[in-house]
Amino acid sequence: MLAQENQSYFLHTIEKGQSLYSIASMYGVSQADIVKLNPGSDEKIYIGRTLRIPRVTNNIQKETFHTIAAGETLYRLTVKYNTTAKAICEANPGLSAENFRIGQVIRIPSAEDAEAGKQPKEQPAVTAAVQSRCREMHKVKRKETIFSISREYNITEAELIAANPELEGKDKIKRGSWLCIPYPSAAVQQTADAQDIPTDSELFKENKKKNVRFKTIKAAVILPFLNTSKNESARMVEYYEGFLMAVDSLKKTGTSIDLYTYSSGPETSSLESILKKNELKQVDIIFGPAYQQHIASLAAFAKDNNIRLVIPFTSKDNTVFQNPSIYQINTPQSYLYSEVYDHFVRQFPNANVIFIEASKDTQEKKEFIKGLKEELKNRSVPVKSLKEDSPTESFKAVLQEGKSNIFVPTSGSNLTLIKILPQLTLLVREQPQINIHLFGYPEWQTYTEDHLEAFFELDTYFYSSFYTNNLLPAATRFTKNYRRWYGKDMSDRYPKYGMLGFDTGFYFLTGLSNYGSDFENKMQLMDIVPIQTGFKFQRVNNWGGFINKKVFFVHFTKNYELVKLDFD
């Protein structure tokens, strides 16, 4: 059971993939501040455990975070914080009646935020007697009722009618008329029958935004096409070329799309001149930027103008943890690794894992290996270690019959592969009765041509968020179309930027075309098979944006087949 919050901290329950860095980013505090309240959390944190998060009381962070406790309802929180259900729902786009539960942290909007969504109030001539009873005046909008207005301000219908006697016996309220909103009566709140207090389902349903369909989707692309390095510019152009092919595919199905394209320039340049353009404020979705230095200003612009922002490249920015407008294609490291660990133990339930320790100067997978070892230890999976230059007898000694013997090098470099593949190939040939696999990393796609035979013989797996088999019909068809469109081939790199541009453009533009503004609630219904990039978006918290958690394994089988293993 959750401990009660006090004024100096609130409680956060650690979820899969979260790190101390991502948790600190969510709440705008430092990792050091969290460690002070939670000694040892800098060494290790556990899924399901709670952390004390310090409350920040400075001018930067005006909002309040609240951990839902037993018995709390959305209505009770509106009374406790003197705000509206609408304001809480708008501050927490990921919150719903289904996930409003004990332990969930939600953002309580500041008074300024709560007022931001309301129309400026004119001050009509009212008597002093009425003014003294009104906390504010409300101008009636189209289709509003006594019920909806009373619920918006957390008062009863009887209280609203008592403050506005002219409403007595009326079913409809004249649009444009002004109503006195009284201060809620403490006595009424304490003695109200349960049936007078709205349920969570009622409040969430009432405050759900109406779905808007797009007759014409307005999309913008902001990338460094000009005034940057030749290689960088070539990658961005290739991405855009693939994106244009996606737009063309959708237009052929009858989807109307207006596309605006801007060059952001190098990472040292400012986006100010682009963000001042009036047409940009009217778009529905933006793809970009390429550089981390441009994310803060573009993300703030997207949030202020209610525009979706798809960040195709960097995964090192933390804006997604506090901005609901963002879709981050590249998965943050802690979430990516967490998914890989899950898939690993599912794919190899009877494993004997042997880590091949690479030389010190090539151990760039330190964090991945550390996390995998911890996961295997927690699941009681046997683990052994060997140095990459160990003799053949040492390799034979760690094998176990009846188990899947998985060799995992601690480096993903080609140099490490060159050192270990001959030893492992010899081992497989001398021990044909033993089940042996090699497991590795996304960058191995770059070295496939050099080591293809060995990969097949070693029954190799590697994880990745992007992969395409160039022999598959969809990949072959796209490659031919790209060559026909542009008179050239895509650059020989991974990921292929042309395919990345097509996949991201086709996925999001199709979603907006099919579901309109309800896209976020219908993503799980998307039936699209991308050519290269996997998509599985999850909101990072109730008030933040989305990260892509899609990971699959690529398997080089002993039968010389190439298989992409999808775990959904």
Side-chain angles (χ1 to χ4, degrees), residues 224-230 232-233 263-269 291:
F225 300 114
L226 304 172
N227 301 321
T228 185
S229 70
K230 184 177 179 180
E232 185 73 8
S233 177
S263 179
S264 64
E267 54 193 309
T268 55
S269 64
Y291 301 125

Side-chain angles (χ1 to χ4, degrees), residues 47-76:
I47 297 172
R49 293 191 179 179
T50 57
L51 288 176
R52 295 177 177 181
I53 308 297
R55 293 193 185 278
V56 178
T57 55
N58 56 30
N59 293 328
I60 297 175
Q61 188 176 355
K62 296 178 181 179
E63 69 270 12
T64 299
F65 292 104
H66 177 87
T67 308
I68 300 172
E72 285 188 323
T73 64
L74 181 56
Y75 177 80
R76 286 183 63 179

Side-chain angles (χ1 to χ4, degrees), residues 352-416:
N352 172 43
V353 182
I354 305 104
F355 290 98
I356 303 177
E357 304 290 344
S359 57
K360 291 182 180 180
D361 56 340
T362 57
Q363 289 186 318
E364 77 283 358
K365 301 295 182 182
K366 183 178 179 180
E367 290 302 315
F368 174 83
I369 296 298
K370 178 184 176 184
L372 180 56
K373 286 181 176 179
E374 288 178 357
E375 184 73 20
L376 296 175
K377 181 180 178 181
N378 292 339
R379 299 187 183 231
S380 301
V381 177
V383 172
K384 300 179 179 68
S385 290
L386 286 173
K387 292 190 179 298
E388 64 181 12
D389 55 358
S390 296
T392 303
E393 291 306 315
S394 296
F395 276 80
K396 290 180 181 179
V398 296
L399 298 177
Q400 283 188 272
E401 289 195 41
K403 286 187 175 289
S404 296
N405 295 274
I406 320 294
F407 286 93
V408 183
T410 60
S411 169
S413 72
N414 193 34
L415 178 61
T416 297

Side-chain angles (χ1 to χ4, degrees), residues 12 14 17-35 41-45 51 53 292 295 314-322 328 331-335 367 540-541 547:
H12 172 91
I14 302 167
Q18 291 180 343
S19 64
L20 198 62
Y21 169 79
S22 65
I23 294 170
S25 299
M26 288 181 191
Y27 301 112
V29 300
S30 71
Q31 297 181 60
D33 288 337
I34 295 179
V35 173
S41 57
D42 53 336
E43 297 292 331
K44 200 171 187 180
I45 58 176
L51 288 176
I53 308 297
Q292 185 176 353
I295 290 177
T314 182
S315 63
K316 296 179 180 179
D317 190 81
N318 63 4
T319 312
V320 67
F321 295 112
Q322 295 184 346
Q328 193 161 299
T331 313
Q333 181 175 288
S334 62
Y335 290 88
E367 290 302 315
V540 291
N541 50 48
I547 57 172

